[in-house]
Amino acid sequence: MPTEVALLESRALRVEQMGRVDVLDKVKSLVMLPDGIHVRTEDVARYFEVSTEVVKKVTQRHRVEVSENGLKLLRGAELQKFHRDMLSLWGDGGAESYPQAATQLTLYTRRTVLNIAMLLRDSDIARCVRTYLLDAEQDLRAGYASLEHRVTRVESCLAGVGSALQELGPVLDRMSHRLDSLDRRLDAAHQVVGAMGVRLGHVAEGIVRIDGRMDELTRNLKELNRRRDKRR
């Protein structure tokens, strides 16, 4: 697990934590400008409870890094436009309380402020932010360890299932042979039943013929009886 000193010294470790801007408000409320996106140098100093000179020195010493994380310097027309935008957001009631820089204005985003928190050594607030980051990292690693343990248990269970399936293989093979034998016996039975059906059909035809002959015999007998009666 990384330590606070490692976080202060290693830019790579700081990069890994740059998405955790939510930590800032867990330590202390960060008052933003009316756009809800930016703060000024004095706002950053007020948040960390240090002087503006301390914030400026950290910013100058790590200019490239903090610039990559949202630091902006406004001058000229860009600065004037920003002031107009802020005044319109403040409205008439807050316009007088919004301070305007004369020639230039340095702006920080939440991401930049988090970057400063990981660079600022002499601030209790910055230390608290780093502590939150490191605790969250520890909780995350503990979660990974727990997940790895659960995955290991699942793998061991699957290994048991594999051995059980191997033992079940011969049983299934024997069952398959028995089912094949049963299929053959059923086919033979179907053939016997089919042959019996054919023979029964022949018998039925014979019975029909016998019925016809019996009817003819009955008619002949009736005719003989009539002739005999007439002779009398």
Side-chain angles (χ1 to χ4, degrees), residues 184-203:
R184 289 192 295 270
R185 293 172 65 184
L186 286 174
D187 288 340
H190 285 313
Q191 291 175 2
V192 171
V193 171
M196 291 177 65
V198 172
R199 295 183 63 183
L200 287 173
H202 293 159
V203 170

Side-chain angles (χ1 to χ4, degrees):
M1 173 182 171
T3 63
E4 183 179 358
V5 174
L7 197 60
L8 287 165
E9 300 295 337
S10 172
R11 182 174 177 179
L13 290 178
R14 292 194 293 272
V15 169
E16 292 178 0
Q17 302 295 332
M18 286 312 305
R20 297 297 314 281
V21 294
D22 59 299
V23 171
L24 296 172
D25 289 318
K26 291 181 180 179
V27 175
K28 182 180 178 182
S29 178
L30 178 62
V31 180
M32 311 297 292
L33 289 174
D35 63 353
I37 300 174
H38 299 98
V39 291
R40 301 158 300 163
T41 303
E42 49 266 41
D43 300 320
V44 178
R46 190 176 301 112
Y47 177 83
F48 288 116
E49 299 177 1
V50 296
S51 67
T52 56
E53 291 302 316
V54 171
V55 176
K56 289 178 181 178
K57 287 180 181 179
V58 172
T59 301
Q60 291 170 359
R61 192 159 53 244
H62 302 275
R63 189 78 183 187
V64 174
E65 181 177 344
V66 293
S67 296
E68 290 177 356
N69 288 304
L71 184 75
K72 292 194 297 185
L73 181 63
L74 303 183
R75 295 190 180 93
E78 190 176 16
L79 176 59
Q80 293 177 8
K81 180 180 182 302
F82 182 80
H83 283 322
R84 288 196 299 271
D85 292 342
M86 292 302 101
L87 289 173
S88 65
L89 290 172
W90 270 111
D92 296 335
E96 294 180 358
S97 62
Y98 173 70
Q100 300 186 36
T103 58
Q104 65 181 30
L105 177 64
T106 302
L107 294 176
Y108 302 71
T109 64
R110 287 181 177 273
R111 190 179 177 92
T112 322
V113 176
L114 181 61
N115 198 168
I116 296 296
M118 290 186 282
L119 294 168
L120 190 58
R121 295 176 182 271
D122 299 324
S123 166
D124 291 336
I125 302 300
R127 292 191 190 96
C128 287
V129 172
R130 292 193 291 270
T131 298
Y132 265 99
L133 290 173
L134 295 172
D135 288 346
E137 179 75 12
Q138 184 177 10
D139 292 341
L140 184 62
R141 290 177 182 271
Y144 284 151
S146 176
L147 179 61
E148 184 177 1
H149 177 67
R150 292 168 63 186
V151 170
T152 301
R153 290 178 58 188
V154 170
E155 288 177 344
S156 63
C157 292
L158 290 176
V161 170
S163 61
L165 290 176
Q166 290 177 352
E167 295 175 358
L168 187 60
V171 177
L172 294 175
D173 188 54
R174 288 194 297 271
M175 290 179 64
S176 177
H177 286 303
R178 293 180 66 182
L179 289 173
D180 289 341
S181 176
L182 182 60
D183 285 339
R184 289 192 295 270
R185 293 172 65 184
L186 286 174
D187 288 340
H190 285 313
Q191 291 175 2
V192 171
V193 171
M196 291 177 65
V198 172
R199 295 183 63 183
L200 287 173
H202 293 159
V203 170
E205 292 175 356
I207 291 173
V208 170
R209 288 195 297 271
I210 291 172
D211 285 342
R213 295 177 65 182
M214 290 294 294
D215 291 341
E216 183 180 359
L217 180 59
T218 301
R219 287 194 299 271
N220 291 334
L221 289 173
K222 287 181 179 180
E223 182 65 27
L224 289 173
N225 288 332
R226 281 197 302 271
R227 291 177 179 178
R228 186 180 60 188
D229 291 339
K230 286 178 180 182
R231 290 173 183 175
R232 290 177 183 177

